[in-house]
């Protein structure tokens, strides 16, 4: 998603639809997305790896159960993929 947003900004500069200052907006937005979404999720994933009993994690952890369910249930999988949209931003 980072590359898509950056590409949109650079395309806007190249085509004359945006000023160079759009890159400052890009920087602000991406830092906020990292601090509000990416870092907390990554930290949670690290904890998930080290604070679980690997023998029972799939039976006890709600997130892992949902991931396993998504393998068989297209609606659950679609909902998980849709959740990633929180990282998108329309730079127009």
């Amino acid at each position: 998603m980072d590359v898509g947003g950056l590409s949109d900004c650079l395309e806007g500069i190249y085509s004359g639809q945006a000023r160079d200052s759009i890159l400052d907006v890009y920087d602000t937005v991406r830092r906020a997305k990292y601090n509000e979404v990416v870092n907390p999720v990554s930290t949670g994933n690290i904890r998930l790896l080290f604070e679980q009993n690997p023998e029972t994690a799939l039976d006890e952890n709600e997130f892992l159960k949902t991931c396993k369910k998504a393998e068989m249930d297209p609606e659950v999988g679609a909902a998980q993929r849709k959740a990633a949209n929180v990282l998108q931003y329309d730079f127009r």
Side-chain angles (χ1 to χ4, degrees), residues 18-55:
R19 293 189 219 152
D20 291 354
S21 61
I22 190 71
L23 296 176
D24 294 327
V25 174
Y26 172 81
D27 176 64
T28 300
V29 167
R30 294 318 305 161
R31 286 177 190 271
K33 296 287 185 178
Y34 174 81
N35 289 325
E36 296 166 11
V37 180
V38 175
N39 190 39
V41 169
S42 294
T43 299
N45 288 341
I46 290 292
R47 284 196 170 123
L48 180 66
L49 287 174
F50 291 103
E51 295 177 357
Q52 298 288 315
N53 176 343
E55 301 297 323

